[in-house]
Amino acid sequence: MTNDVSETVRTFKELYGEEPLVVRSPGRVNLIGEHTDYNLGYVLPAAIDRAIILAVTPRTDSQCVMTALDMKDRYIADLNDLQPAPRGWPNYLIGVLDQIQKCGYQIRGVNCVFGGDIPIGAGLSSSAAVEAGFAFALNEVFELGIDRMSLAKLAQRSESEFVGVKCGIMDQFINIFAKENAVLRIDCRSLEYTSVEIRGDAAILLFNTEVSHSLASSAYNKRREECGRGIAALSRRHPHIASLRDVPLELLESARSEMDATVFNRCAYVIRENARLLRGCEDLQTGRLSAFGEKMFETHEGLKNEYEVSCRELDQLVDIVRGLPGVYGARMMGGGFGGCTINLVRPDAVGSVRRTVEERFRKTYGRTPPVYHTTIVGGTSVISRPRAASVTSMPEGSA
Ligand code: GLA
C-alpha cells in the first residue's frame, strides 16, 4: 500500500485513458478527547501523513464505477437506484452519492479509482478519509459549491445513515479542516475550532494491534445509546440538560441512583474526559508534556474500565510503555476494540521505545505490531486537475 499518487493515476489512465482530478485525503490521530464528539464535547485531532488518494472524472451517464486499488475490486452503482452494496467498502462511497443527492444536488455518474496507505481498521479513520475525500472530489468535479463545513457534515451523515455507524463529527471534520503542524481543539457543540500549539519536542508514534472487532460498530452505537440514557435520566429533573456537555460531575453523582451503574460509568468517563482535554490543552501550550502524557494514561484507564472499549492487546501496548524513558504518555485511540495506541514520545527516544514495544509484544503475541511514526499534515486537498476541465453543475439546494 502506498499513498504515492502516481500508482492511482496510472491505473486510472490505463482504465479510462483520460486525466482525472486527484485528491489526497488524510487519516487522523486524536491526542485526547475520545468518545466525546457525539456527546457534544471537545476533541483534539490532527491529520497525518497517511492518506487515501482518489482519482475521479465525471461520466455522461448515471453509472458510478468505483475501483478500490488495494482490494483489487470494482463496484458499479447507479445514481438512479442507490442501494447498499453486499460487501463493505463501496458503501463508504455510495453513502456520499446518496447524501449529495438528498441535499438536492444533481450530479452525473463518475469513474473513481482510489488507493492509499491508511491501514484499515486501525482507528486512523480510513473510512472518513474515503467519505470526506470522495465528497470533496465530487464537489470539485461537478463544481457544486458546497462549503467545507457542509462537506464534513455530509460525509458524517453518509457514515451514520448509510454505513450505519452513528459516529460523531471528529473524523470527517479534521479530514477537511486540518492544518499542517497543528492539532485542532474542536468544540463539537458549536463546531468552532482553534489550533493548539505543542510547545516542546514530541514525536507521535502509533502501534497497531492489528486487532479489529467484528462487532465494533454495534458496540460503538451501544455506547452512544447508553450516554443517551444517562441524559434522559438527568433531564427528567434538569430539563435544560441536552448533552453530557451540560453536566458537571457533581450533578451526575447526585443522580447516581437514577441510572444503572453502566450508564453512570459511561457518563462519568465522558465528563472527566472533557475536563482532561481542556486542562491538557493548557499543558501542551505551556510545554508541560509530562503532565499531558499523564492525562493520556488516565484517558486509557477510563476507556478501559468505565467506557469499556479497550482490549487486552491495547492494554498491553499501553502497559509496556508506561514508565519507559522518553515516553510522555500513551492510550488507545479512536472508537476502540482494537486499532492503534497513540504514544507521545521524546524524539530521541523513538528508536528505543519502538524496540522495547516490538520485543515485549512479540513475546506475548508472537508477532510484531506495525509502527507508524507520523507527522501532522493539512486536510484534504486537490493534488492535480485535468488540463481541460469540462463539467456542468446544477446545485439546487444546500448541504
Ligand atoms: C470513531 C468515530 C468518531 C469518534 C471516535 C471516538 O473514530 O468515528 O466520531 O466518536 O470513534 O472518539
Side-chain angles (χ1 to χ4, degrees):
M1 279 202 305
T2 168
N3 74 22
D4 178 3
V5 178
S6 58
E7 195 189 328
T8 308
V9 176
R10 194 181 54 244
T11 309
F12 190 96
K13 283 185 182 162
E14 275 165 21
L15 284 171
Y16 303 108
E18 57 181 343
E19 259 186 66
L21 173 93
V22 184
V23 164
R24 173 181 270 128
S25 178
R28 65 103 188 86
V29 291
N30 183 27
L31 259 58
I32 201 163
E34 219 64 90
H35 288 276
T36 43
D37 59 352
Y38 54 84
N39 285 303
L40 305 189
Y42 299 96
V43 290
L44 197 63
I48 56 170
D49 54 348
R50 289 187 163 249
I52 300 289
I53 306 294
L54 298 109
V56 181
T57 53
R59 291 170 60 101
T60 50
D61 59 11
S62 57
Q63 305 271 293
C64 296
V65 186
M66 305 169 286
T67 305
L69 265 189
D70 301 319
M71 319 270 180
K72 298 191 172 43
D73 193 16
R74 176 172 310 171
Y75 193 83
I76 302 178
D78 192 317
L79 282 176
N80 297 322
D81 183 26
L82 293 178
Q83 299 292 338
R87 50 191 188 277
W89 70 264
N91 290 315
Y92 296 105
L93 300 146
I94 302 172
V96 171
L97 295 167
D98 181 51
Q99 280 301 327
I100 292 219
Q101 298 205 122
K102 281 192 176 139
C103 289
Y105 293 102
Q106 290 200 356
I107 53 173
R108 288 182 273 122
V110 287
N111 292 323
C112 171
V113 174
F114 73 96
D117 65 353
I118 309 178
I120 294 167
L124 304 181
S125 272
S126 57
S127 54
V130 173
E131 291 153 354
F134 191 47
F136 186 95
L138 293 174
N139 193 31
E140 292 288 324
V141 162
F142 293 109
E143 295 176 2
L144 301 175
I146 307 174
D147 64 87
R148 293 197 297 160
M149 188 66 83
S150 302
L151 274 181
K153 288 183 181 171
L154 185 153
Q156 179 204 13
R157 283 200 304 276
S158 73
E159 169 105 21
S160 172
E161 290 175 20
F162 212 85
V163 180
V165 180
K166 309 287 174 209
C167 65
I169 190 77
M170 168 169 72
D171 303 347
Q172 292 81 6
F173 191 106
I174 193 65
N175 177 282
I176 299 281
F177 286 91
K179 292 202 171 80
E180 202 175 336
N181 292 323
V183 291
L184 298 190
R185 193 191 78 184
I186 306 167
D187 177 335
C188 299
R189 182 162 64 183
S190 67
L191 296 182
E192 283 163 0
Y193 62 98
T194 47
S195 296
V196 173
E197 190 196 349
I198 305 178
R199 300 196 63 178
D201 268 351
I204 296 173
L205 269 193
L206 308 171
F207 294 112
N208 189 354
T209 58
E210 292 188 296
V211 172
S212 61
H213 197 299
S214 61
L215 295 177
S217 56
S218 57
Y220 181 95
N221 291 346
K222 188 152 181 264
R223 296 298 177 284
R224 190 170 179 152
E225 208 185 282
E226 286 161 347
C227 293
R229 273 162 49 204
I231 295 158
L234 288 160
S235 63
R236 275 197 286 275
R237 265 205 273 148
H238 308 277
H240 73 281
I241 290 175
S243 74
L244 290 175
R245 175 75 173 274
D246 302 320
V247 183
L249 202 53
E250 308 74 58
L251 190 86
L252 179 73
E253 288 282 2
S254 71
R256 193 188 269 265
S257 60
E258 288 157 44
M259 58 188 82
D260 68 50
T262 303
V263 167
F264 178 87
N265 285 339
R266 307 293 193 244
C267 295
Y269 160 78
V270 170
I271 294 169
R272 290 198 188 103
E273 180 71 349
N274 271 321
R276 257 194 301 269
L277 182 146
L278 293 175
R279 283 185 283 115
C281 287
E282 288 168 22
D283 294 337
L284 290 177
Q285 283 163 326
T286 51
R288 293 190 305 249
L289 297 185
S290 301
F292 184 83
E294 226 12 82
K295 294 183 178 65
M296 294 173 80
F297 284 123
E298 285 169 22
T299 294
H300 185 80
E301 291 307 299
L303 289 167
K304 177 182 166 191
N305 301 319
E306 295 178 308
Y307 220 69
E308 295 181 285
V309 290
S310 189
C311 65
R312 61 198 178 103
E313 291 85 351
L314 286 166
D315 295 342
Q316 190 186 12
L317 283 174
V318 171
D319 286 343
I320 292 171
V321 300
R322 197 179 270 117
L324 282 187
V327 172
Y328 295 119
R331 62 179 193 82
M332 59 146 281
M333 189 179 70
F337 307 103
C340 289
T341 60
I342 177 168
N343 302 256
L344 202 64
V345 176
R346 225 176 44 221
D348 64 352
V350 165
S352 63
V353 170
R354 181 182 180 149
R355 279 190 297 280
T356 308
V357 169
E358 286 174 344
E359 190 186 308
R360 295 201 194 154
F361 192 85
R362 195 167 44 233
K363 247 187 214 152
T364 314
Y365 295 104
R367 59 191 166 85
T368 308
V371 188
Y372 319 118
H373 185 172
T374 54
T375 52
I376 295 180
V377 303
T380 288
S381 62
V382 172
I383 301 295
S384 65
R385 294 178 190 276
R387 252 163 266 146
S390 58
V391 290
T392 55
S393 68
M394 297 165 70
E396 287 183 351
S398 65

